[in-house]
Amino acid sequence: MPATSPHSPELYRKAALLALITIIYNIAEGAVSVGLGVADETLSLFGFGLDSFVEVISGVGIWHMVQRVRRGGTEDRDAFERRALRITGGAFYLLAAGLVVTAGLSIYSGHRPESTVWGIAVSLVSISFMWLLIHHKTNVGRALNSPAILADAACSRACLLLSAVLLAASAGYELTGIAWLDSLGSLAIAWLSVREGREAFGKADGMACPCSCGCSNGG
């Protein structure tokens, strides 16, 4: 159970705000990434943007949980949160399948993106923002002794890993001009999406340690 203290209401307000910021950021990141990915024909950036949209569904579940706990509920997931997690898991699987097919066709046809400069820019912004979210979510989770908030911080680490994959694929293409690096980046995003999908279903079924990056309490 989460710890209770005179500071708990303030900390839960901060946790709810962090969850809301995560949702808004992922919507903005998804829209920018998908739009730029289509414009530059960059598959890895496009897939990264779709992944951000899927993360929004999970973020809504976390926000709902924090609000419910603030009103005196427990951290056991309710029907809404379990449904959101299952939708998230299914969406991640569909995204991964689409990326694998598209990447295969791109490699076969020798497709080259117009540019991956925007992929570099988006990934650097995302890495910086996710690092800040991880830092603050971990601090709040530790102060409240909340496994759910700490698990949410761990999921933000998975998002940071996705950003690092996008950076590697985008920078690699700009430096070398090797066409299949963009497709390789999208395949890596597909693989990570499968892991996130599996873990979303695991969380819906009550797994204690849901995220691919583990439930480490480290910052």
Side-chain angles (χ1 to χ4, degrees):
M1 289 289 293
T4 56
S5 75
H7 301 292
S8 290
E10 179 182 346
L11 288 169
Y12 274 114
R13 279 194 295 272
K14 184 174 181 180
L17 178 60
L18 288 170
L20 187 59
I21 289 172
T22 302
I23 293 168
I24 294 171
Y25 176 79
N26 277 325
I27 291 173
E29 180 181 76
V32 169
S33 299
V34 167
L36 292 173
V38 169
D40 287 344
E41 299 182 7
T42 309
L43 185 56
S44 57
L45 181 56
F46 179 76
F48 180 80
L50 292 180
D51 188 280
S52 297
F53 282 134
V54 178
E55 292 285 357
V56 170
I57 306 170
S58 177
V60 169
I62 290 292
W63 179 82
H64 174 81
M65 181 275 295
V66 173
Q67 296 289 70
R68 182 169 50 75
V69 174
R70 285 177 66 186
R71 295 191 295 267
T74 69
E75 289 197 358
D76 295 334
R77 295 180 178 88
D78 65 10
F80 174 85
E81 292 151 27
R82 290 193 296 271
R83 189 176 303 112
L85 285 166
R86 291 191 178 101
I87 292 171
T88 300
F92 272 131
Y93 283 148
L94 287 174
L95 171 60
L99 287 175
V100 168
V101 171
T102 308
L105 292 173
S106 295
I107 292 172
Y108 177 77
S109 65
H111 172 75
R112 305 176 68 89
E114 294 290 328
S115 169
T116 56
V117 170
W118 281 116
I120 296 172
V122 169
S123 61
L124 288 174
V125 171
S126 182
I127 287 170
S128 301
F129 193 80
M130 285 300 147
W131 185 88
L132 287 172
L133 281 179
I134 292 164
H135 172 74
H136 288 291
K137 287 179 180 180
T138 300
N139 286 344
V140 171
R142 284 173 173 170
L144 290 170
N145 191 27
S146 168
I149 295 174
L150 287 172
D152 186 35
C155 287
S156 293
R157 291 190 187 95
C159 296
L160 191 150
L161 180 58
L162 280 165
S163 302
V165 167
L166 175 63
L167 177 59
S170 300
Y173 177 78
E174 284 298 318
L175 290 171
T176 67
I178 299 174
W180 53 262
L181 284 178
D182 180 52
S183 297
L184 183 63
S186 70
L187 288 174
I189 291 172
W191 176 66
L192 291 170
S193 295
V194 168
R195 292 178 62 180
E196 289 188 274
R198 183 177 66 246
E199 288 143 9
F201 281 116
K203 282 193 284 185
D205 293 336
M207 277 178 57
C209 188
C211 290
S212 60
C213 43
C215 290
S216 168
N217 290 349

